[in-house]
Amino acid sequence: MPELSTESSIFAALVSGALAKYAFGAVTRMNRRRKMVQVGTVKQLNCYPVKSCSGVSVDSGLCTPLGLKVGKATDRHWLVVRSNGDFVTQRQFSKLALVSTEIGNTQLVIQGPGMPTLRLPLEPITDRSKVMRCRIWGNRSEGLDCGDDAAYWFSTFLRIQGLRLLFSASDLAHQDVTNMPKPGGNPALPGDQAAFSDWCSYLVTTEESLAAVNERLKEPVVMRRFRPNIVDNWSELQIGDATFRMLGPCERCLLTTVNPDTGERDPRAEPLETLKSFRCFPEHGPSPLFGVNATVDVTGVVKVGDPVFAIRK
């Protein structure tokens, strides 16, 4: 994989979370920190409460076992599904990019063009009779049905009947990250989990990664197009109080072709086609790579402006 400069600001989009159930001892942590070097600073933090919908930028967040937590909302803890539990994203319905979210004190506020405001409790009580099995790629999980009003809202907005909105409550089953097959192998460890992310829960990237794409495009794209990801060529990151373990590069798909401002796909399939021209590597399959996926080993608060320390592979 081509090396990218790491001397400037890191665009950290910590948008989902997973916890490895083993703690580093004090001596181990000290030895690892001695190997770390500062490679930049956090420029931005993004939280996407509803998978595939628009997110919110924040100044700080708590890196929990299952994702970046902002107030009482955690990244990718709500999911739109079909009646059979199969997950729905911008890959099928690009209009989801136009659904905005706002995190209140007790409610998640959801809005969309031409739609009334939908308000959902941030901490609903789990009723096992309303728990639904769902599927994210090949992984199975559970979600608490958010009710008929939420189902009607998304079915009406996307003009497809039978959709439901699920919530990943803390006392429900979550995805086992080790179950996801990856072309280059899955290095996840027992205990690594995720709520409704595609794979693991944290994604980080550098602005240099975006610049490398934009210099090849006729019309530059914004980082939001990628629903930000991670840093190339590092094995661990220390940001604020949290430590992240890199699992593998992020394979990019049609979702990158959706304009987050219009909810429409690029007719030339950009920037995906340009990514294919220089970011494909045989050992990782046919999809181009942009960013790396990460999981959390040590939880903690991360803030915009925090220095980013890394251990290279």
Side-chain angles (χ1 to χ4, degrees):
M1 181 179 299
E3 287 199 13
L4 300 177
S5 168
T6 57
E7 295 301 323
S8 62
S9 295
I10 306 300
F11 184 99
L14 305 176
V15 291
S16 96
L19 176 67
K21 291 184 178 177
Y22 14 76
F24 288 100
V27 174
T28 301
R29 286 197 297 269
M30 184 179 299
N31 289 337
R32 288 181 178 273
R33 285 172 181 167
R34 285 172 180 166
K35 298 177 182 178
M36 286 187 166
V37 295
Q38 185 174 352
V39 294
T41 57
V42 176
K43 180 178 180 181
Q44 190 177 42
L45 293 171
N46 293 324
C47 179
Y48 298 87
V50 183
K51 183 178 178 68
S52 230
C53 295
S54 180
V56 294
S57 292
V58 296
D59 293 329
S60 65
L62 176 64
C63 296
T64 72
L66 292 173
L68 182 72
K69 188 172 184 178
V70 178
K72 295 180 180 179
T74 307
D75 185 84
R76 290 179 173 85
H77 268 51
W78 284 263
L79 175 71
V80 182
V81 299
R82 298 181 187 271
S83 58
N84 63 357
D86 284 355
F87 75 132
V88 167
T89 71
Q90 291 180 34
R91 298 173 184 89
Q92 300 87 21
F93 304 103
S94 59
K95 279 182 62 178
L96 280 172
L98 301 181
V99 177
S100 66
T101 54
E102 179 182 340
I103 301 169
N105 292 328
T106 61
Q107 294 180 320
L108 179 68
V109 181
I110 299 175
Q111 296 178 308
M115 296 294 294
T117 299
L118 175 66
R119 300 178 186 275
L120 301 172
L122 290 173
E123 298 179 306
I125 297 174
T126 301
D127 180 345
R128 288 298 310 183
S129 69
K130 298 179 180 178
V131 172
M132 183 176 178
R133 293 285 291 175
C134 57
R135 181 185 67 84
I136 301 95
W137 298 116
N139 255 348
R140 297 288 174 175
S141 188
E142 289 184 329
L144 176 66
D145 194 303
C146 293
D148 291 340
D149 288 346
Y152 178 80
W153 196 99
F154 279 96
S155 293
T156 301
F157 181 70
L158 295 178
R159 298 182 180 180
I160 179 170
Q161 296 303 306
L163 297 181
R164 308 299 297 185
L165 183 69
L166 305 183
F167 172 69
S168 181
S170 60
D171 52 353
L172 298 183
H174 300 104
Q175 293 187 83
D176 183 345
V177 176
T178 64
N179 286 338
M180 179 63 72
K182 306 298 289 185
N186 186 344
L189 300 174
D192 288 343
Q193 293 184 332
F196 294 141
S197 301
D198 278 0
W199 182 22
C200 54
S201 303
Y202 285 92
L203 305 170
V204 188
T205 191
T206 62
E207 288 190 315
E208 286 82 0
S209 295
L210 181 62
V213 177
N214 279 336
E215 69 183 12
R216 293 169 168 83
L217 293 172
K218 292 182 179 179
E219 298 179 10
V221 296
V222 296
M223 187 67 82
R224 285 189 299 133
R225 183 71 71 102
F226 298 95
R227 303 179 65 82
N229 17 56
I230 195 173
V231 183
D232 299 338
N233 210 31
W234 299 345
S235 61
E236 288 186 20
L237 292 179
Q238 174 78 42
I239 309 174
D241 300 325
T243 299
F244 302 87
R245 173 167 32 95
M246 307 296 100
L247 292 187
C250 183
E251 300 96 359
R252 307 311 304 189
C253 65
L254 279 175
L255 197 147
T256 62
T257 68
V258 177
N259 186 320
D261 296 319
T262 65
E264 297 178 351
R265 288 196 177 90
D266 186 279
R268 297 158 299 181
E270 293 290 7
L272 186 61
E273 289 302 312
T274 293
L275 280 171
K276 289 178 180 179
S277 71
F278 77 109
R279 297 291 291 180
C280 286
F281 303 91
E283 64 271 28
H284 293 290
S287 299
L289 308 180
F290 186 91
V292 184
N293 299 277
T295 188
V296 161
D297 278 333
V298 179
T299 62
V301 173
V302 171
K303 303 183 295 294
V304 171
D306 277 345
V308 178
F309 297 90
I311 295 178
R312 289 189 178 278
K313 289 184 178 179

